[in-house]
Amino acid sequence: MEPISLTNKEQNSSDKKSQSALIEQGAIPEHIAIIMDGNGRWAKSRGNIRSYGHKVGVDSVRDVTEACAQIGVKYLTLYAFSTENWGRPKMEVSALMRLLARSLRKEADNLNENNIKLETIGQIDRFPENCQQELREAIDLTKDNDRLQLCLALSYSGRWDITEAVKKLAQSAKEGDIDPNKIDDKMISDHLSTADVPDPELIIRTSGEYRISNFLLWQLAYSELYITETYWPDFRREELYKAIQSFQQRERRFGKVSENSQKKSSSLYVQELTP
Ligand code: FPP
């Protein structure tokens, strides 16, 4: 399917070139998750209030979402508001809530026209009613779309997610529906908020912080991490392509040995055994 621009602007030819080079170069991750960080510092460095960074950050959300849809990423999960973010100054929290509600209202049709499905993970019931309403409407509008699933992690934390899964499993065990000895990796994954989504192959964090900050703690077991100094409001599609290029150069071993060294070591083994 020919990609449609979310911005309705002509997609420039140099971007088309970098997109196809990226696709030819190697595998595009099926699921990318991003810790969007550095909005406040970006704004402060320009003499602006922190909320201005969040506002420009929404433009990055739009650009990165559009690029992901165009290059064939199937799932994009964005850490938009952590459980810990409730501890920020009241003014900043309410500015973020207003921005979220306004952005959803503005972008829902665009998402829908581009066959993008919106989802959320986290404690949405902690959000003001108008935000919840905008979320419900956008989720309902886009529920049948299947080009890309954009999942906003809102009032989310990895420990909360795991705790909820443990509670559900403990309850099922108490009721005799499952045998505690049969609980395994898959059963835990199936009780997380991301149950229907594959684990992310690539996790990106902006603004040069080397932390996971309670994001998808269980799901990132084998994710490749990419950390960039770029602040989120400056993180646009070219930066995304760089992250994917870095991912394409990694060798994912999942705790095993590499295919090359496996071949090398087995031939050494044969040589050692050969008289
Ligand atoms: C981190 O920067 C960013 C956030 C806590 C909020 C991110 C939210 C948006 C970009 C808007 C979301 C809107 C939609 C529609 C998804 P920071 O404030 O922690 O920056 P700092 O580390 O420089 O202080």
Side-chain angles (χ1 to χ4, degrees), residues 36-41 50 54 57-58 80 85 88 103 152 232:
M36 308 182 289
D37 197 15
N39 293 352
R41 277 166 286 163
R50 296 173 52 80
H54 299 317
V58 174
N85 287 155
R88 292 193 173 198
S103 308
L152 301 181
W232 178 250

Side-chain angles (χ1 to χ4, degrees), residues 172-266:
S172 302
K174 191 176 155 197
E175 287 163 10
D177 294 334
I178 55 165
D179 173 356
N181 289 313
K182 298 253 163 71
I183 295 175
D184 59 8
D185 265 35
K186 181 169 180 326
M187 213 183 271
I188 295 175
S189 295
D190 288 346
H191 285 78
L192 293 169
S193 60
T194 48
D196 304 325
V197 174
D199 289 343
E201 291 104 316
L202 173 62
I203 300 222
I204 299 171
R205 179 165 190 149
T206 59
S207 93
E209 304 286 354
Y210 287 71
R211 281 191 295 277
I212 292 301
S213 299
N214 213 349
F215 196 25
L216 303 162
L217 296 181
W218 175 273
Q219 298 86 337
L220 57 67
Y222 291 104
S223 305
E224 295 295 326
L225 302 181
Y226 178 87
I227 294 166
T228 170
E229 296 294 320
T230 306
Y231 292 145
W232 178 250
D234 282 334
F235 190 96
R236 301 294 164 95
R237 63 182 64 207
E238 286 306 330
E239 294 283 329
L240 173 78
Y241 300 160
K242 277 192 220 159
I244 296 177
Q245 266 162 353
S246 161
F247 168 83
Q248 290 173 334
Q249 282 153 21
R250 315 266 180 103
E251 189 193 20
R252 305 190 72 214
R253 293 197 297 274
F254 301 96
K256 299 172 189 141
V257 292
S258 83
E259 285 209 353
N260 285 343
S261 64
Q262 206 171 359
K263 274 183 209 143
K264 235 190 258 167
S265 62
S266 60

Side-chain angles (χ1 to χ4, degrees), residues 91 93-103 105 130-131:
M91 259 191 27
V93 171
S94 36
L96 265 169
M97 300 293 139
R98 278 198 303 276
L99 180 65
L100 179 67
R102 209 180 318 131
S103 308
R105 204 171 324 128
N130 70 320
C131 279

